Amino acid sequence: MTPLLQVKGIEKLYGARIGCADVTFDLYPGEVMGIVGESGSGKSTLLNCLAGHLVPDAGQVIFDTRANGPVDTVTMSEPERRMLSRTDWAFVHQHVRDGLRMSVSAGGNIGERLMAVGDRRYGDIRDKAIDWLGRVEIEAARVDDRPTAFSGGMQQRLQIARNLVTGPRLVFMDEPTGGLDVSVQARLLDLLRGLVREMGLSAIIVTHDLAVVRLLADRLMVMKDGHVVEAGLTDQVLDDPQHAYTQLLVSSVLQV
Amino acid sequence: MSAYNFAYLDEQTKRMIRRAILKGLAIPGYQVPFASREMPMPYGWGTGGVQVSAATLTPEDTLKVIDQGADDTTNAVSIRKFFEKTAGVETTEETEKATVIQTRHRIPEAKLREDQIIVYQVPIPEPLRFLEPRETETRKMHSLEEYGLMHVKLYEDISQHGAISTAYAYPVKVCGRYVMDPSPIPKFDNPKLEMDAIQLFGAGREQRIYAVPPHTRVVSLDFEDYPFEATKADHPCDLCGAEDSYLDEVIMDDAGNRMFVCSDTDYCRSRREAGHMGRLAEENAA
Amino acid sequence: MIELINVSKSFTLHNQGGAVIPVMEGASLKVEPGECVALTGASGAGKSTLMRVIYGNYLAASGQVLVGGLDVAKAEPRQILTLRRKTLGYVSQFLRVVPRVPTLDVVAEPLLAVGCDRTEALEKSAELLKRLNIPERLWTLSPTTFSGGEQQRVNIACGFAHDYPAMLLDEPTASLDVQNRETVLSLIEEAKGRGAAIVGIFHDLDARERVCDREVNVADFTPELAA
């Protein structure tokens, strides 16, 4: 099986300071990988390098494209990369304001990616938008409301719908449950798990919440000071951590 | 007024503007940045159009200036006087006789010819602006031809009003490439954007010039199931009886009486002179 | 089906002066299809540790842990995940689920994961819950709100939903009443009957007698205290 994403020796420097360095891994279709670490550990820098928002100083991010097979997205042309990020890739931001158009209705938000790839039938676009609202558990009647009228949890679900409507194969998520109530988090996690399985999505989730990765991620990468200190099966890393930092991280979690 | 250089602007500035115009004509619909000058009028009164006109005019030209189709409004009269003074060119109200037409918010009803140039005053040249406030991002979207957002605006229209309610500044795609704001002309005028004359667009405050060369394909954006429609008030002109011209609605008294008249005053006048009469023509004449 | 060859396991506590605690050494074990092996030994002897090593939850320090031909000690995460999805079931003592998910769906999940049709998965889930005496009015609720015994039974239902060829059972009959204990034992017998290889921890002696073919004392794998 060809990995969906092959990451080889990714390095990003901020001047003399290391953002992330020497990150290498393969992600296979259907796999969900979590990246954990404290603030400043380089996990968001890594995610942004992978998603093409930052240009790494070294390394390759090879994506198995539908048309041409594995291609290095770091060196591919910008139009190609942007096309990829509107079709096969999705990015769920922690702050919905970065991922939604707050002045556009829920339907318009979901429809944007469809229109961006050339959908020109209003009726179809609207039907798909309503279908997706249902899939993220938002009433169809809210299709013409703006996200500003939605609760935080609904906004995050809308962002997910907007991202998944084109049937991407790889989803990048940056703290998708950050800033939400615990009860809302649980609902979102359940939803994400369902969608990941139904759509056969691969996902890379950056979070500092170990409970989130335990429920969502198959695999885990632990980062510290820009480096991956430990990687493996999620429950193995959490239950039998090998690295000093991971042991500290796991033992620091409050038990409920 | 010999103290002024011909058409107010100095020759270097006119050159700079002409280069922008030529680049605009070479890349139809592309917004060319230019170093807009301070003009002796406030922004919003046509500083962009005036600079383009100034760079376009020659002493042999005949200038016509319209504002919302009318030759006799303050803005049109002032700009006409401005060029009479600073360029000494002939001016006219007749579309036929003009070689350069500066316009705000309309395209004349009479078909323009190959030897004519029409200059549009543009307030906001960026069609994507209301949805994407970042200039860096809109430029990238133009360069990569990412125009999905433009349809989001039309989608919002239909979802809120049941039809595309954008009635003016209706976005178009020029020559199959750039999406362009045709300035706030009514969408009734959009089909006329495919014409024989040269079309130049000037935005003074935003410092952009763009252009559509003659005989260029200009397509109004739409959805397959909600096609573009060039609409106007469903009424003939009350003065000249024209059924094919864009109309202004005029409220006549406190009782709610109103009339519809051609917004293109020259078109209306020439029809009345040719003997056409509308519903209120006689009493108006009286 | 399940074979351990000279497996050892130790914990290194980096945050406590780097102390190395060896917990298992020279563990070898072989379980054939249709066979049920009970792990015995005093509390703390390492029964659960051994189960976790087989499941891939604990990383073996050395040796081979073969399940269905795959060496869990060295396999890639995705290989272990496939193994867990299709081949190796685990009934732990704790229920770990996404909050808010209805019990019926929780139990159907392992079936959906192996590509089972949704209707069929829900039917099988309902059947198991009924057998384990979970009242039908609770099926639409999340098991997180259930009593300890009910959670344990939901856990068992999850573990037996899919017919795994290999299974690990950690005290499956603990905290169950007579009737439910009987159901669980027959579930185990049925699993053996269809050829599942089972490793289990049974504190319940009668249950152990009834379903287990052999006993393996993990004390034999406990390193010398001096080591």
Side-chain angles (χ1 to χ4, degrees):
Chain A
M1 185 162 51
T2 316
L4 186 66
L5 194 71
Q6 300 170 57
V7 176
K8 296 183 179 173
I10 284 295
E11 179 177 280
K12 175 73 187 172
L13 302 174
Y14 298 109
R17 199 164 55 79
I18 293 172
C20 62
D22 198 25
V23 180
T24 298
F25 67 89
D26 288 345
L27 188 75
Y28 285 83
E31 270 189 325
V32 177
M33 191 173 82
I35 303 176
V36 296
E38 59 200 11
S39 301
S41 61
K43 53 193 197 303
S44 291
T45 296
L46 174 62
L47 192 74
N48 282 312
C49 283
L50 300 181
H53 298 168
L54 283 175
V55 183
D57 294 309
Q60 294 176 299
V61 180
I62 298 165
F63 181 72
D64 186 17
T65 61
R66 284 183 220 235
N68 304 313
V71 180
D72 184 7
T73 61
V74 175
T75 52
M76 86 177 7
S77 71
E78 192 176 11
E80 281 179 296
R81 193 165 50 240
R82 283 176 70 114
M83 182 51 110
L84 207 55
S85 62
R86 287 197 307 259
T87 53
D88 265 354
W89 287 5
F91 198 105
V92 176
H93 295 263
Q94 175 181 5
H95 302 292
V96 284
R97 283 173 185 276
D98 298 332
L100 286 178
R101 292 192 190 279
M102 300 307 281
S103 59
V104 168
S105 71
N109 263 294
I110 298 176
E112 182 175 343
R113 274 172 79 112
L114 295 170
M115 293 183 252
V117 295
D119 226 326
R120 289 292 176 266
R121 285 196 72 81
Y122 173 83
D124 294 353
I125 294 164
R126 196 171 171 80
D127 288 349
K128 279 184 200 156
I130 289 173
D131 174 48
W132 266 97
L133 282 180
R135 290 170 78 164
V136 297
E137 303 170 25
I138 297 175
E139 287 170 58
R142 305 296 301 265
V143 67
D144 294 329
D145 292 351
R146 292 184 178 183
T148 41
F150 288 3
S151 68
M154 281 169 79
Q155 289 178 348
Q156 193 56 286
R157 295 203 299 279
L158 179 63
Q159 192 192 177
I160 288 164
R162 167 181 159 90
N163 268 285
L164 298 188
V165 66
T166 49
R169 291 187 296 153
L170 177 59
V171 185
F172 300 100
M173 297 190 214
D174 191 0
E175 303 274 7
T177 58
L180 297 177
D181 290 345
V182 246
S183 62
V184 177
Q185 272 192 26
R187 188 170 177 193
L188 192 71
L189 289 175
D190 174 32
L191 178 77
L192 282 172
R193 252 166 67 114
L195 290 171
V196 162
R197 190 180 55 216
E198 281 165 35
M199 300 176 73
L201 293 175
S202 302
I204 298 179
I205 301 172
V206 160
T207 178
H208 59 258
D209 189 336
L210 298 183
V212 167
V213 286
R214 193 185 273 277
L215 289 174
L216 275 182
D218 306 318
R219 290 165 59 190
L220 194 56
M221 253 175 28
V222 182
M223 291 190 74
K224 180 171 168 46
D225 300 332
H227 290 85
V228 176
V229 295
E230 184 164 356
L233 206 57
T234 302
D235 59 300
Q236 184 258 299
V237 172
L238 294 179
D239 293 341
D240 185 16
Q242 306 292 307
H243 189 274
Y245 177 69
T246 318
Q247 291 185 354
L248 184 69
L249 197 68
V250 170
S251 63
S252 304
V253 175
L254 294 174
Q255 297 287 327
V256 182
Chain B
M1 299 300 287
S2 55
Y4 285 113
N5 189 37
F6 176 75
Y8 185 75
L9 292 175
D10 62 274
E11 292 305 312
Q12 287 303 324
T13 297
K14 286 195 278 186
R15 260 191 187 183
M16 176 270 293
I17 293 172
R18 285 175 196 141
R19 281 194 210 104
I21 291 172
L22 289 172
K23 181 169 179 183
L25 284 164
I27 316 170
Y30 172 72
Q31 297 167 47
V32 186
F34 82 109
S36 178
R37 297 294 193 248
E38 283 299 316
M39 298 303 286
M41 60 182 71
Y43 288 126
W45 287 68
T47 53
V50 164
Q51 291 178 75
V52 171
S53 294
T56 306
L57 282 172
T58 65
E60 296 75 40
D61 273 316
T62 304
L63 178 70
K64 170 183 163 82
V65 183
I66 49 173
D67 174 5
Q68 304 262 29
D71 295 89
D72 53 2
T73 57
T74 318
N75 198 200
V77 172
S78 313
I79 292 172
R80 198 159 59 228
K81 291 255 188 271
F82 174 76
F83 282 116
E84 280 170 5
K85 263 192 182 171
T86 60
V89 291
E90 269 189 51
T91 55
T92 180
E93 294 196 0
E94 291 175 50
T95 305
E96 283 278 303
K97 290 187 179 157
T99 54
V100 174
I101 302 167
Q102 179 169 335
T103 178
R104 174 176 174 269
H105 301 191
R106 272 312 309 276
I107 297 175
E109 304 292 355
K111 194 169 179 288
L112 299 186
R113 301 183 310 265
E114 266 184 6
D115 60 347
Q116 291 177 309
I117 296 174
I118 181 166
V119 177
Y120 298 80
Q121 300 172 199
V122 181
I124 296 166
E126 179 49 70
L128 301 162
R129 179 61 69 235
F130 288 105
L131 292 154
E132 178 51 69
R134 291 167 295 184
E135 175 71 12
T136 47
E137 188 62 19
T138 52
R139 282 211 205 186
K140 192 158 273 177
M141 290 160 97
H142 280 295
S143 66
L144 300 179
E145 226 182 321
E146 290 180 8
Y147 291 131
L149 199 52
M150 214 59 252
H151 274 86
V152 171
K153 184 170 183 293
L154 301 179
Y155 170 94
E156 291 290 281
D157 256 13
I158 302 172
S159 70
Q160 279 161 32
H161 308 287
I164 298 178
S165 64
T166 300
Y168 61 93
Y170 192 104
V172 293
K173 195 165 203 179
V174 181
C175 208
R177 177 60 181 83
Y178 283 95
V179 165
M180 184 187 92
D181 182 332
S183 87
I185 58 171
K187 67 176 171 184
F188 173 81
D189 282 343
N190 268 27
K192 293 189 226 161
L193 288 163
E194 288 186 356
M195 63 164 73
D196 298 345
I198 293 175
Q199 302 176 75
L200 306 176
F201 298 79
R205 181 183 43 211
E206 304 288 323
Q207 315 201 335
R208 293 289 183 277
I209 284 171
Y210 50 101
V212 178
H215 315 293
T216 301
R217 189 157 43 90
V218 180
V219 178
S220 303
L221 302 181
D222 62 1
F223 286 102
E224 287 165 22
D225 42 354
Y226 285 84
F228 171 81
E229 260 183 300
T231 50
K232 64 182 268 288
D234 186 17
H235 214 277
C237 172
D238 285 329
L239 294 181
C240 76
E243 302 201 11
D244 58 353
S245 72
Y246 191 72
L247 301 172
D248 285 338
E249 182 179 355
V250 183
I251 306 291
M252 297 168 70
D253 54 33
D254 290 352
N257 284 314
R258 53 193 190 156
M259 67 188 287
F260 288 92
V261 293
C262 291
S263 95
D264 184 339
T265 51
D266 175 57
Y267 182 72
C268 199
R269 182 186 47 76
S270 60
R271 275 181 56 87
R272 275 178 281 144
E273 281 172 7
H276 296 284
M277 291 217 294
R279 181 172 66 98
L280 303 170
E282 274 170 335
E283 61 185 87
N284 194 290
Chain C
M1 192 66 217
I2 302 175
E3 186 173 10
L4 274 68
I5 304 169
N6 204 18
V7 174
S8 71
K9 171 68 195 161
S10 60
F11 291 106
T12 308
L13 306 178
H14 292 285
N15 300 306
Q16 285 167 42
V20 178
I21 303 176
V23 292
M24 196 162 73
E25 238 173 52
S28 294
L29 173 75
K30 191 167 185 179
V31 187
E32 299 294 339
E35 198 182 14
C36 179
V37 172
L39 300 180
T40 61
S43 189
K47 299 185 292 293
S48 290
T49 301
L50 184 62
M51 299 262 272
R52 283 168 171 248
V53 165
I54 299 173
Y55 199 56
N57 179 231
Y58 281 180
L59 204 60
S62 66
Q64 281 180 289
V65 181
L66 299 166
V67 180
L70 181 74
D71 186 355
V72 174
K74 294 185 184 60
E76 291 284 315
R78 65 192 170 89
Q79 294 174 307
I80 298 178
L81 287 169
T82 309
L83 183 81
R84 288 180 182 181
R85 199 163 54 237
K86 295 182 176 159
T87 314
L88 182 61
Y90 184 28
V91 177
S92 72
Q93 294 188 69
F94 308 99
L95 183 69
R96 191 166 248 153
V97 293
V98 179
R100 206 185 69 108
V101 181
T103 302
L104 198 63
D105 290 332
V106 167
V107 178
E109 169 102 18
L111 289 164
L112 295 173
V114 291
C116 181
D117 169 71
R118 190 170 166 78
T119 326
E120 205 178 306
L122 289 176
E123 267 171 29
K124 178 122 192 230
S125 163
E127 189 191 313
L128 271 167
L129 288 171
K130 194 173 280 174
R131 252 186 103 177
L132 287 157
N133 296 310
I134 304 288
E136 198 163 341
R137 62 189 159 79
L138 298 181
W139 293 2
T140 52
L141 305 178
S142 165
T144 45
T145 57
F146 291 6
S147 73
E150 284 165 342
Q151 290 200 4
Q152 171 67 355
R153 278 177 276 151
V154 171
N155 216 7
I156 288 164
C158 285
F160 283 90
H162 170 58
D163 293 338
Y164 298 101
M167 296 185 79
L168 304 170
L169 309 175
D170 193 348
E171 297 221 46
T173 55
S175 69
L176 294 184
D177 59 32
V178 182
Q179 193 194 352
N180 286 313
R181 177 175 168 275
E182 180 56 37
T183 309
V184 172
L185 290 177
S186 52
L187 279 171
I188 296 172
E189 282 166 345
E190 286 163 28
K192 282 176 70 182
R194 62 172 166 76
I198 300 173
V199 175
I201 300 171
F202 298 89
H203 285 211
D204 174 348
L205 288 179
D206 292 341
R208 195 197 297 170
E209 291 275 301
R210 177 165 152 195
V211 295
C212 296
D213 304 292
R214 280 189 292 133
E215 291 183 10
V216 170
N217 191 339
V218 296
D220 299 345
F221 310 141
T222 310
E224 296 297 315
L225 284 177

